[in-house]
């Protein structure tokens, strides 16, 4: 299981070796740029608006990463209702030389589906939530994204949880298929969830909730499109 801080060198299906490890404080700026490049690519050199938008999003994500990395315990204390469990992990895939080529975040958060729906499915009130899964373009289709998801699944089990949640833009058919292929099930989202975690600004986005039960052994990894797969 890939749950400790020890490095694990793997090879992608295209033969590129990579390391799975925890994110580090000194690379938060670089990870913000990596994520923004995936979800909001830079424009041509003359595309002033796109490049300005990219830069503003990098700055915003840098601030979010620093806040979550250093202050997660205080963040969850402000949830409604507050969470007693303050778990957060920044997970990175990197080349053997250390350059980050993929990343994701995992935290424990309130269940992102309505109480009636979650109750009928026997889903717990809180659970691990995966976000910002991103892989650099030239390293996609090499199981890096799936390896990061697998690590999130294993870490969730270590934390004592058996369900993993995430959101995907409803227009991102490739990402939805990617997650369904590795065992995730789509559900309607609960708009009130964004108020619970203090992110009302995200409620305007048209997103789909997916979840996966983790009590059984993780599925075999399958090749798929890992670009911009989960964003919060």
């Amino acid at each position: 299981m890939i749950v400790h801080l020890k490095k694990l060198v793997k090879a992608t299906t295209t033969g590129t070796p990579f390391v799975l490890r925890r994110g580090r404080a000194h690379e938060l700026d670089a990870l913000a740029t990596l994520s923004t490049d995936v979800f909001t690519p830079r424009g041509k050199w003359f595309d002033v608006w796109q490049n300005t938008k990219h830069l503003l999003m990098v700055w915003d994500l840098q601030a979010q990463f620093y806040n979550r990395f250093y202050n997660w315990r205080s963040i969850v204390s402000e949830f409604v209702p507050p969470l007693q469990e303050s778990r957060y992990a920044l997970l990175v895939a990197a080349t053997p030389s250390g350059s980050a080529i993929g990343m994701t975040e995992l935290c424990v958060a309130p269940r992102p589906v309505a109480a009636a729906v979650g109750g009928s499915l026997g889903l717990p009130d809180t659970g691990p939530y995966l976000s910002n899964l991103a892989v650099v373009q030239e390293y996609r289709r090499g199981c890096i994204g799936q390896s990061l998801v697998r690590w999130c699944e294993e870490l969730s089990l270590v934390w004592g949880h058996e369900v993993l949640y995430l959101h995907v833009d409803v227009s991102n058919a490739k990402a939805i298929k990617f997650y369904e292929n590795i065992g995730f099930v789509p559900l309607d989202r609960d708009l009130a969830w964004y108020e619970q975690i203090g992110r009302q600004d995200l409620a305007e986005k048209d997103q789909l909730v997916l979840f996966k039960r983790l009590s059984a052994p993780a599925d075999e990894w399958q090749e798929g499109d890992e670009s911009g797969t989960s964003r919060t």
Side-chain angles (χ1 to χ4, degrees):
M1 294 179 72
I2 317 163
V3 288
H4 301 295
L5 298 181
K6 299 287 186 181
K7 293 183 179 181
L8 175 66
V9 178
K10 300 177 64 65
T12 68
T13 54
T14 57
T16 304
F18 66 95
V19 174
L20 295 176
R21 58 169 173 77
R22 293 294 189 104
R24 299 161 181 162
H26 70 80
E27 63 184 349
L28 294 178
D29 292 353
L31 293 176
T33 301
L34 184 159
S35 181
T36 306
D37 282 345
V38 169
F39 291 102
T40 309
R42 307 174 212 216
K44 302 292 185 180
W45 67 267
F46 54 81
D47 191 341
V48 177
W49 164 241
Q50 181 65 15
N51 290 326
T52 300
K53 179 180 177 183
H54 178 277
L55 182 59
L56 291 173
M57 292 192 70
V58 169
W59 287 346
D60 178 65
L61 199 53
Q62 285 172 351
Q64 292 184 44
F65 281 177
Y66 276 96
N67 198 28
R68 292 196 285 261
F69 192 86
Y70 289 109
N71 303 312
W72 187 250
R73 185 179 298 275
S74 63
I75 291 173
V76 299
S77 69
E78 297 176 1
F79 287 174
V80 182
L83 288 186
Q84 302 302 312
E85 185 178 1
S86 57
R87 294 188 181 275
Y88 172 83
L90 177 59
L91 309 178
V92 170
T95 63
S97 64
S99 299
I101 55 176
M103 60 156 291
T104 192
E105 295 180 276
L106 184 69
C107 68
V108 173
R111 178 182 59 203
V113 295
V117 176
S120 67
L121 294 171
L123 300 177
D125 293 337
T126 62
Y129 176 76
L130 182 158
S131 61
N132 284 320
L133 175 63
V135 177
V136 174
Q137 171 123 23
E138 55 265 39
Y139 293 97
R140 293 174 193 166
R141 304 190 68 82
C143 285
I144 293 174
Q146 292 180 43
S147 297
L148 287 166
V149 174
R150 176 71 175 270
W151 192 3
C152 287
E153 293 176 9
E154 295 179 347
L155 191 53
S156 297
L157 289 169
V158 169
W159 288 352
H161 295 271
E162 296 183 347
V163 178
L164 177 60
Y165 299 98
L166 56 90
H167 282 91
V168 175
D169 289 345
V170 295
S171 61
N172 196 339
K174 286 184 177 180
I176 294 172
K177 182 179 180 181
F178 166 78
Y179 284 115
E180 288 181 327
N181 284 344
I182 56 176
F184 283 83
V185 178
L187 284 175
D188 290 334
R189 63 176 176 155
D190 178 16
L191 292 179
W193 180 79
Y194 297 95
E195 284 193 39
Q196 286 182 281
I197 65 169
R199 293 300 304 273
Q200 293 88 335
D201 57 303
L202 296 175
E204 298 178 1
K205 295 186 177 181
D206 199 3
Q207 295 186 319
L208 184 69
V209 173
L210 293 97
F211 78 97
K212 181 175 181 179
R213 299 184 190 275
L214 305 176
S215 54
D219 297 334
E220 291 295 322
W221 298 347
Q222 302 175 33
E223 185 174 0
D225 191 327
E226 302 158 348
S227 60
T229 49
S230 176
R231 185 66 183 266
T232 301

